[in-house]
Amino acid sequence: MNRGDNAEIPGYSTAERDRRWRLTREFMQREGLDALLVFGEHEDAGPAPFAFDTWFTNARAGTTVVFTRDGDPLSLLPMEMFWRDYLEGIRRGDIPWITPDNIRVSRDSAAIAETLTALGLSTATIGVVGLEPYPPWHPEGLVPYRQWNTILDTFPDAEFVPVARPLSRLIMPLSSEEIAVVRRAGSIGDAMVAAMVATAAAGVSESEVYAAGMAAGYARGTTPAAMHLYSGPAPLARAVPPWSYRPQAPRVLADGDVVSAEVFANLGGRHTQHQATITVGEPHPDLLRAAEVARATYDAGLRSLRPGRTFGDVVAAMREVLDPAGGWEFGPSVHALNPAIALSGFPADAGQWIPGAEAYPPEPDHPTIGADLELVPGMTFAMEPNYVFGRHLAYLGGTVIVGDPDPIELNPYTAQILRARGDNSALSA
């Protein structure tokens, strides 16, 4: 990478700030809200973070935002280090979206109560972001019980309304500035996977492959979330590698292995995902068969991803390929990004095909979430079809933007099987 690569990173203007705040005020007016109370997840949350706060602040994740219909947003920070970052940014020429008079240096229940009281919201109707389910990490909301119970006790005459779902649909269609950021994130993700392909080979530790991918992201000016990676002759798992959470040696790759990875790139609060299936040596015939199904599913999803249709229409089009294929689906094949508010369903009995699965609790049904979401230009989706024959899992795909009318495919590179090191060209699938 040359030095000019980082110089091409797009940013957000004050016009983008004004657009977001205008949309928010219109939303509050339309929903009959006097204010919004937005909880954000801490900045080290990893993939699919609950980081609605950054949409308002263009700053570090992990804050709580209070936004009245007639004022500018206030940012309640977890510690003073956050406002020191603001000062350092100003010294470097940044234009902060949140001014010093709109910053508070605590976000516990007492600080929230003090802020709401000072703004005259003791009897207001307040929309809350953080109470509703946000799969998979927050099945019953983000806000801690004690904190929320204290707020309810303090404001018995206020009405608190969960609004994460309608607000999500408001912010999901990206602006031209945000699309430029997503495009850049997508190119970073491709570079991460390319570095992994170039590193993987028989005799190489899977941790070296992991490190090569993450380093490519860091070198391009972002801090990717920890990728999911498994390797082996036929890995059937999707998670951070086991040596990241318990003391054990990483695997050493062998001829005939597969590196199966889910790579996360992010920039400016906008995220892309990349599904990488990298073969070391000749791929197993069942893997190639599975890749054919996954690729046909990907193409069906692309054809259906059009403005005016629904997310459910896309899922149905993909299921037409998956259901009769004769193998089984490992997990969801498509989900929304920025934010992740829609997720395709898949059969409840899929896991029964894994040897030894009978010893574990049966899987519940996996219905589609957000099937009624109408597609609008600027929405982003992780198109990640996957399929298994025997024990051989093909996981393909990347990030796609709803265009007008055609979808914008950011990552055709990972929508196919990739060969490690000796032959870095993709296999036809």
Side-chain angles (χ1 to χ4, degrees):
M1 185 190 74
N2 59 39
R3 187 174 297 175
D5 196 26
N6 279 340
E8 299 171 2
I9 294 177
Y12 296 139
S13 68
T14 54
E16 173 64 16
R17 176 202 65 193
D18 295 344
R19 181 192 75 88
R20 295 184 187 185
W21 292 5
R22 173 182 54 79
L23 286 174
T24 305
R25 294 185 181 103
E26 292 172 354
F27 173 80
M28 286 189 275
Q29 177 71 32
R30 188 166 58 249
E31 299 291 325
L33 304 173
D34 299 304
L36 287 179
L37 175 59
V38 182
F39 293 90
E41 191 171 23
H42 66 89
E43 60 191 349
D44 300 317
F50 193 93
F52 289 80
D53 54 320
T54 64
W55 193 77
F56 300 94
T57 65
N58 193 32
R60 289 173 66 175
T63 66
T64 299
V65 172
V66 179
F67 197 164
T68 62
R69 192 193 302 179
D70 301 322
D72 290 342
L74 281 68
S75 182
L76 282 63
L77 310 180
M79 55 182 151
E80 65 276 2
M81 293 297 181
F82 275 57
W83 66 254
R84 293 176 187 174
D85 292 339
Y86 274 92
L87 275 179
E88 181 64 19
I90 292 170
R91 189 183 70 82
R92 297 181 180 201
D94 295 342
I95 301 175
W97 288 12
I98 308 297
T99 57
D101 56 314
N102 285 334
I103 285 177
R104 307 291 183 269
V105 193
S106 178
R107 63 177 194 141
D108 60 12
S109 56
I112 293 171
E114 181 180 349
T115 301
L116 296 181
T117 300
L119 293 172
L121 298 173
S122 297
T123 60
T125 300
I126 302 171
V128 184
V129 177
L131 297 178
E132 295 160 291
Y134 190 77
W137 312 123
H138 305 293
E140 297 185 78
L142 173 78
V143 187
Y145 168 81
R146 190 172 79 173
Q147 183 180 48
W148 189 240
N149 199 49
T150 300
I151 292 171
L152 291 179
D153 287 346
T154 306
F155 298 99
D157 298 321
E159 180 181 4
F160 295 98
V161 183
V163 296
R165 289 174 180 166
L167 184 68
S168 296
R169 298 189 179 206
L170 174 76
I171 70 179
M172 194 176 172
L174 306 185
S175 68
S176 59
E177 290 188 17
E178 291 175 305
I179 288 174
V181 169
V182 167
R183 283 183 178 275
R184 173 65 184 178
S187 71
I188 291 172
D190 275 349
M192 293 172 67
V193 175
M196 296 163 68
V197 169
T199 302
V204 172
S205 169
E206 65 180 6
S207 61
E208 293 181 53
V209 178
Y210 192 103
M214 297 299 285
Y218 297 143
R220 284 160 177 80
T222 187
T223 52
M227 73 173 73
H228 296 171
L229 184 146
Y230 265 82
S231 70
L236 272 178
R238 209 66 170 172
V240 292
W243 41 263
S244 71
Y245 55 84
R246 60 174 170 252
Q248 65 181 63
R251 284 191 72 258
V252 174
L253 300 180
D255 189 59
D257 271 358
V258 172
V259 177
S260 183
E262 188 168 28
V263 176
F264 308 102
N266 58 75
L267 188 69
R270 291 293 167 262
H271 303 261
T272 59
Q273 291 190 16
H274 313 255
Q275 311 305 318
T277 300
I278 305 168
T279 62
V280 180
E282 288 301 315
H284 192 280
D286 281 347
L287 178 64
L288 295 180
R289 289 175 59 212
E292 289 177 359
V293 176
R295 179 67 207 208
T297 305
Y298 179 89
D299 290 337
L302 278 183
R303 288 192 295 270
S304 186
L305 199 74
R306 296 291 190 278
R309 297 182 182 177
T310 67
F311 179 69
D313 293 334
V314 178
V315 175
M318 299 175 81
R319 294 238 63 85
E320 288 181 5
V321 179
L322 291 165
D323 289 343
W328 58 281
E329 189 180 5
F330 186 79
S333 287
V334 59
H335 66 80
L337 289 170
N338 304 309
I341 61 171
L343 180 75
S344 65
F346 58 100
D349 60 353
Q352 72 176 349
W353 300 105
I354 304 175
E358 66 278 0
Y360 292 87
E363 293 186 18
D365 188 26
H366 303 286
T368 294
I369 299 171
D372 65 336
L373 176 69
E374 182 178 349
L375 303 183
V376 175
M379 288 181 169
T380 50
F381 292 89
M383 193 76 71
E384 53 181 39
N386 55 89
Y387 211 69
V388 183
F389 283 111
R391 281 193 55 91
H392 296 275
L393 166 65
Y395 231 125
L396 309 175
T399 299
V400 180
I401 305 174
V402 179
D404 187 13
D406 297 327
I408 303 168
E409 188 185 11
L410 295 187
N411 309 112
Y413 175 59
T414 50
Q416 53 199 329
I417 298 288
L418 300 169
R419 281 190 184 271
R421 185 171 280 182
D423 178 5
N424 288 348
S425 62
L427 289 167
S428 297

